[in-house]
């Protein structure tokens, strides 16, 4: 249900329906706020550690991603189905009244089974409609969403067989075989696949999928003017740029920092359309596609590597890796395919040490081939993932150095708006890491930084000041993330003055002067590591 709505649905010149601004919206404001999506389903890996009602992730990193979660918060199993968990009696009761009382008995038979997230989401929507929990108006709005089931059927092969099998499972497990046909369940499963959004924490950790018929009307652009931010179950569309009244609101379905060919391939494979946004109309000629040099300049060593890999992989023929025609371009396509393969493989690793090994291999490939600018994908994303995984294993100095590179040389290019939520979250995590390092003077690498004249306290304050200056636009002043940022700033300010509020203005003025000097040293930290 939308509790703030400056958007309306109308025919889009791009495709089908779209969302349009009901008034002029400045950059960094909420356009549309939905108290909770109609359907929200946690990924299997997050069922044990995340509340199924308020979507609070209780086991994230204490440096950054969990700083807005109350200390000691845990989740407990539902005594009935033992599948979902809740962080409080309040959440359990809310979930029970809203839907879970009709789901609980059915899901008891699923104990010990890893049911795919989209299957459980389809079960949820079928059960809710069968039990009268979705009214006719909302149901009609769901059925108006494009399913692309005919496109899926046309692909045939293993993919269509898998879709049919999972839809059959959702239909059977939901206990709605007398209410809906198998074909209808298949179409609903397809509708979930093509219209769901990723359920994320306020710090953009993916924890599941969600579907809301109003939110699903937003069309895609590789140059979006809005971004979806979540605060527990609340979903908010926030403007990245100024949006005029009656202008269409665009979000991104994919990582729009990827090269043109990869973006087009992903959109075609999952959403069955070719993107014709203003960015894609310019073709593979923008920053996202540029290597450091032309394919015919690739070092002989990597030409030989590409020729060997060509014999055992299809990287050169994968449309997502397309670089150009000719043998030189195919070799570069193979090297690019190798880099993306390392990145995607690392994401599938639950053990941070295994993920780090994959990421470092991929980053060395990007660095040693000399093809990649530091901000080109997947080099940039591998660096951020390495940052996160290094924090997980306690290698804080390497994380700090990689974070410095991202802060100075990558995020300002990939996320040019200072209030872009992803950039704000990155800065927040780096600030919290810096705060930790400042409190551990004997930690590896910290003494060396101090000897170089680096004041981690000043750098931490500068990062935190940047976050608090942008969080009202990125997440909203009253969001749980915004309040966590303000609390931390109040703590830091109190520490600076020993609790003497009268001394705070002078202390802040002195801090601002020191930040300018420290920022030069801070940027140098990123040069201490080779790749």
């Amino acid at each position: 249900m939308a509790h703030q709505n400056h958007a309306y649905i109308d025919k889009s010149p791009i495709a089908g329906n779209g969302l349009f601004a009901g008034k002029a919206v400045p950059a960094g404001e909420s356009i549309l706020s939905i108290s909770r999506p109609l359907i929200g389903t946690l990924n299997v890996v997050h069922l044990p550690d995340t509340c199924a009602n308020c979507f609070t992730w209780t086991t994230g990193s204490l440096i950054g991603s969990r700083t807005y979660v109350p200390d000691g918060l845990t989740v407990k199993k539902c005594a009935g189905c033992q599948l979902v968990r809740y962080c409080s009696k309040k959440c359990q009761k809310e979930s029970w009244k809203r839907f879970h009382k009709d789901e609980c008995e059915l899901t008891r038979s699923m104990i010990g089974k890893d049911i795919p997230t989209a299957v459980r989401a389809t079960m949820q929507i079928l059960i809710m409609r069968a039990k009268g929990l979705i009214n006719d108006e909302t149901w009609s709005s769901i059925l108006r969403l494009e399913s692309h089931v005919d496109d899926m059927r046309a692909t045939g092969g293993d993919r269509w067989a898998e879709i049919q099998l999972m839809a059959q499972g959702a239909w059977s497990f939901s206990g709605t075989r007398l209410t809906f046909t198998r074909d209808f369940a298949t179409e609903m499963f397809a509708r979930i696949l093509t219209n769901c959004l990723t359920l994320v924490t306020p710090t953009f950790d993916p924890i599941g999928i969600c579907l809301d018929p109003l939110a699903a009307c937003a069309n895609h652009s590789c140059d979006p003017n809005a971004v979806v931010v979540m605060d527990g179950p609340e979903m908010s569309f926030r403007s990245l740029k100024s949006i005029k009244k009656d202008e269409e609101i665009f979000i991104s379905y994919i990582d729009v920092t990827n090269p043109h060919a990869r973006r087009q391939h992903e959109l075609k494979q999952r959403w069955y359309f070719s993107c014709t946004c203003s960015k894609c109309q310019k073709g593979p000629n923008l920053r996202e596609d540029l290597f450091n040099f032309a394919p015919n300049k690739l070092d002989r060593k990597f030409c030989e590597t590409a020729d060997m890999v060509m014999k055992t992989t299809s990287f050169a023929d994968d449309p997502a890796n397309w670089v150009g025609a000719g043998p030189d371009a195919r070799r570069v396509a193979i090297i690019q395919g190798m880099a993306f393969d390392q990145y995607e493989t690392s994401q599938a690793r639950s053990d941070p040490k295994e993920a780090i090994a994959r990421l470092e291999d991929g980053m060395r490939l990007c660095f040693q081939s000399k093809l990649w600018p530091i901000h080109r994908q997947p080099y940039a994303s591998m660096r951020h993932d390495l940052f996160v995984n290094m924090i997980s294993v306690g290698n804080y100095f390497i994380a700090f150095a990689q974070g410095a590179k991202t802060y100075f040389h990558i995020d300002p290019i990939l996320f040019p708006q200072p209030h872009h939520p992803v950039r704000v979250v990155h800065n927040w995590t780096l600030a919290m890491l810096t705060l930790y390092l400042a409190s551990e003077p004997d930690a590896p690498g910290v003494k060396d930084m101090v000897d170089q004249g680096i004041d981690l306290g000043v750098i931490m304050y500068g990062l935190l000041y940047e976050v608090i200056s942008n969080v009202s636009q990125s997440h909203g002043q009253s969001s749980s993330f915004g309040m966590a940022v303000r609390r931390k700033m109040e703590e830091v300010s109190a520490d600076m003055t020993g609790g003497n509020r009268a001394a705070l203005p002078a202390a802040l003025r002195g801090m601002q002067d020191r930040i300018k000097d420290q920022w030069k040293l801070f940027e140098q930290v990123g040069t201490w590591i080779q790749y």
Side-chain angles (χ1 to χ4, degrees), residues 420-436:
H420 195 296
V422 173
R423 184 172 172 181
V424 170
V425 167
H426 287 182
N427 291 350
W428 165 255
T429 308
L430 184 56
M432 294 302 95
L433 173 60
T434 310
L435 177 63
Y436 174 81

Side-chain angles (χ1 to χ4, degrees), residues 140-147 187 191 195 211-213 216-217:
S140 295
S141 66
I142 293 169
L143 297 183
R144 284 195 294 269
L145 298 175
E146 181 61 69
S147 70
E187 186 173 346
R191 193 171 277 114
N195 290 279
L211 176 72
D212 187 87
C217 288

Side-chain angles (χ1 to χ4, degrees), residues 6-35:
H6 300 310
Y8 64 90
I9 300 172
D10 203 350
K11 291 294 182 183
S12 169
I14 304 299
N17 289 327
L19 280 183
F20 293 80
K23 69 168 192 174
V25 183
E29 283 201 4
S30 176
I31 311 165
L32 168 66
S33 182
I34 298 169
S35 56

Side-chain angles (χ1 to χ4, degrees), residues 55-67:
F55 305 133
T56 298
W57 181 34
T58 62
T59 59
S61 168
L62 291 173
I63 296 177
S65 60
R66 199 184 157 205
T67 45

Side-chain angles (χ1 to χ4, degrees), residues 114-119 122 152-153 155-170 185-186 189-190 193 272:
D114 289 341
I115 306 297
T117 309
V119 172
T122 305
M152 295 178 187
R153 186 182 291 110
T155 62
D158 292 342
R159 185 179 182 188
W160 174 240
E162 183 181 4
I163 288 171
Q164 288 182 298
L165 180 63
M166 290 193 285
Q168 168 81 32
T186 301
F189 179 74
L193 291 179
Y272 301 94

